[in-house]
Amino acid sequence: MARRRISHLDGKTAIQACLSANDSAQENLTTAVRYLLEELAEVAPGNSVEVRVPPLGATQCIAGPRHTRGTPPNVVEMAPETWFDLATGRLAWPDAIASGLVSASGVRATLEEVLPLRLKGIQI
């Protein structure tokens, strides 16, 4: 189980604020991105893929071979706005890859099967 740092209430509130057309607060995006990374680790537990969203956070997910030292063999990296859009379904994985918004290295470096995240109580 993923270690939670952001409560469900705070995370969902931040996501809703980011989804509203008139919100541009960086604090809400930061909270939403970190919460969505926690959700990813919860719905796709494992250590075979590292998802990086610099400078806001990173998590390991997807069941499979575990790495223990150095750079993991499967890394997915993107900007915070891209992660938010992928996790909430506002951007499709193939489109993000095709447009170069996501850097994915390694044979298992894909999140297509786990995105968008299913978020109860959030209207997207």
Side-chain angles (χ1 to χ4, degrees), residues 15-26 28 90:
I15 291 168
Q16 287 293 92
C18 289
L19 289 171
S20 72
N22 58 3
D23 185 272
S24 61
Q26 184 63 37
N28 285 329
R90 295 174 11 156

Side-chain angles (χ1 to χ4, degrees), residues 18-84:
C18 289
L19 289 171
S20 72
N22 58 3
D23 185 272
S24 61
Q26 184 63 37
E27 182 180 337
N28 285 329
L29 180 63
T30 298
T31 300
V33 163
R34 290 177 176 160
Y35 177 77
L36 290 166
L37 285 169
E38 290 176 0
E39 282 295 297
L40 175 64
E42 187 82 22
V43 301
N47 296 95
S48 69
V49 177
E50 184 166 293
V51 178
R52 299 175 181 169
V53 183
L56 302 181
T59 194
Q60 292 184 2
C61 60
I62 313 291
R66 177 183 173 93
H67 76 279
T68 56
R69 299 177 107 162
T71 301
N74 302 291
V75 176
V76 175
E77 188 168 330
M78 69 204 82
E81 297 80 6
T82 301
W83 168 241
F84 181 84

